[in-house]
Amino acid sequence: RAAMLPFLAGVAVAVGVSIAGYVVLHSRGGGLLWWGGYFVTFGLWRAAWARYSATAGGRPMPGPARALMIGGVVVSVAAAAVFAYSYISDKTAPPVATGVGSCWAEEGDNVVAVPCGDADARYTATAEVSSDSECPGTSAGSIDSDQPGKVLCLAQR
């Protein structure tokens, strides 16, 4: 029983860090991903094992406690695995196109390139020209292109 609190706290930290990492990874704003949460998890589990060892007196762990421990480790590892898979998939995904035909979403006062299948895609780049004045009158606006001295004309989707 003395070991249960730090062990379950470790499970909560592992799952929480995995969820937070997933959310940060999939937000357009980015953010700081703090991997230290997994170190906290292992520290809490080590403290739980030390408490258990100090109080068990060599007796084996009872069945319900063992099942809870195994379940907690499985949930924690599964959460970390989902986050790791998502992280690796995101880092190896092809870059989002930014030329003519690319799609853009509003983010505050800016627009960011997004996959055209994204629900937030509000604009499509219809032309790449030398200045804003060359964009068609039906354009919703323009942004700087990746090409120096060029702008992309955006049309509402």
Side-chain angles (χ1 to χ4, degrees):
R1 289 182 185 199
M4 218 33 78
L5 183 61
F7 176 77
L8 292 176
V11 170
V13 169
V15 171
V17 167
S18 297
I19 291 169
Y22 184 88
V23 168
V24 166
L25 183 64
H26 290 87
S27 69
R28 283 198 180 78
L32 177 64
L33 183 60
W34 183 54
W35 288 88
Y38 292 115
F39 292 113
V40 171
T41 295
F42 294 125
L44 288 166
W45 286 354
R46 186 174 181 275
W49 184 255
R51 282 188 186 180
Y52 172 75
S53 297
T55 59
R59 293 183 315 249
M61 188 177 291
R66 181 175 294 163
L68 183 60
M69 181 191 71
I70 291 169
V73 170
V74 167
V75 166
S76 299
V77 170
V82 167
F83 168 61
Y85 175 78
S86 178
Y87 180 82
I88 290 167
S89 295
D90 185 70
K91 297 303 175 196
T92 58
V96 177
T98 57
V100 174
S102 60
C103 296
W104 299 79
E106 292 180 10
E107 187 175 277
D109 292 338
N110 299 315
V111 290
V112 294
V114 295
C116 288
D118 193 299
D120 293 334
R122 299 281 183 252
Y123 304 98
T124 302
T126 57
E128 186 173 52
V129 295
S130 297
S131 70
D132 300 356
S133 61
E134 295 177 31
C135 286
T138 57
S139 291
S142 64
I143 57 171
D144 290 335
S145 171
D146 289 342
Q147 302 297 320
K150 300 281 188 173
V151 296
L152 288 174
C153 304
L154 300 180
Q156 193 130 14
R157 291 183 73 177

